[in-house]
Amino acid sequence: MPRSPQAFRFAAPLSAIVLVAAVSGCSMFGEKDELYTQSTESRPLEVPPDLDRPSADRAMSLPAAGGAVSASAMNNAGGGSAAPIGFNASGDRDAIFAKVGEVLGATAGVTVVSRAPILGTYDLDYMDAKFLVRVTKVGDGAYVSAVDPRGLPPTGEAPVKLVAALKAAIAP
């Protein structure tokens, strides 16, 4: 069936009218709601009553008094010294780190759990104690020390004994 040019003349303006009506949407019909005309920033904020203020019931409560505790008593609670355990050694940090590894490998009872050359640490088990031996660069040399897993000076005799053995072998 051939299409006539007259059908195209009516179809083009009719489709334009339908397109304009479809694009304009429902704004031509119905009422506007004021709630949706405001931006979200200008609408009032509604906060539930239980979230209005934080509870301050226990904000300033103190623990029950049980006696005085000093920092030195807390540090010495595990027994042994809480002073830093370590020594200075002359030489390159990496060379001293390697020497420490050799001495640890030759020491009876020492288990090297892990080693981190970039950090300069050995994670050790020795005499039922877990601690780190750390080698840090200090000036022209290095400082070899023992620390507990929290980075504090360790307590007990195992770290003291091992650091003494390291000092005797590395920095006599």
Side-chain angles (χ1 to χ4, degrees):
M1 190 166 134
R3 296 186 183 172
S4 66
Q6 199 172 29
F8 283 120
R9 269 190 246 165
F10 290 115
L14 183 62
S15 62
I17 292 172
V18 169
L19 180 66
V20 168
V23 171
S24 67
C26 298
S27 62
M28 295 179 3
F29 309 107
E31 299 176 12
K32 292 186 179 181
D33 189 3
E34 289 298 318
L35 180 64
Y36 296 110
T37 59
Q38 297 176 349
S39 67
T40 56
E41 292 83 14
S42 65
R43 286 190 229 154
L45 180 64
E46 295 179 19
V47 179
D50 58 335
L51 295 178
D52 196 15
R53 278 193 212 160
S55 173
D57 298 344
R58 293 176 284 166
M60 297 298 288
S61 65
L62 298 173
V69 176
S70 66
S72 60
M74 290 300 292
N75 286 336
N76 291 329
S81 170
I85 302 170
F87 62 92
N88 287 317
S90 60
D92 182 46
R93 185 194 78 89
D94 294 333
I96 294 171
F97 181 78
K99 258 188 209 179
V100 167
E102 292 170 9
V103 173
L104 290 174
T107 305
V110 173
T111 304
V112 177
V113 177
S114 66
R115 56 183 288 232
I118 293 175
L119 299 174
T121 60
Y122 289 96
D123 187 3
L124 306 175
D125 286 342
Y126 180 60
M127 296 174 53
D128 295 327
K130 297 180 187 299
F131 56 95
L132 303 172
V133 171
R134 183 169 56 186
V135 181
T136 55
K137 182 172 176 53
V138 178
D140 292 336
Y143 182 69
V144 180
S145 63
V147 294
D148 72 358
R150 299 172 296 168
L152 301 173
T155 56
E157 71 173 284
V160 174
K161 186 176 178 183
L162 186 62
V163 169
L166 289 170
K167 184 176 182 180
I170 295 172

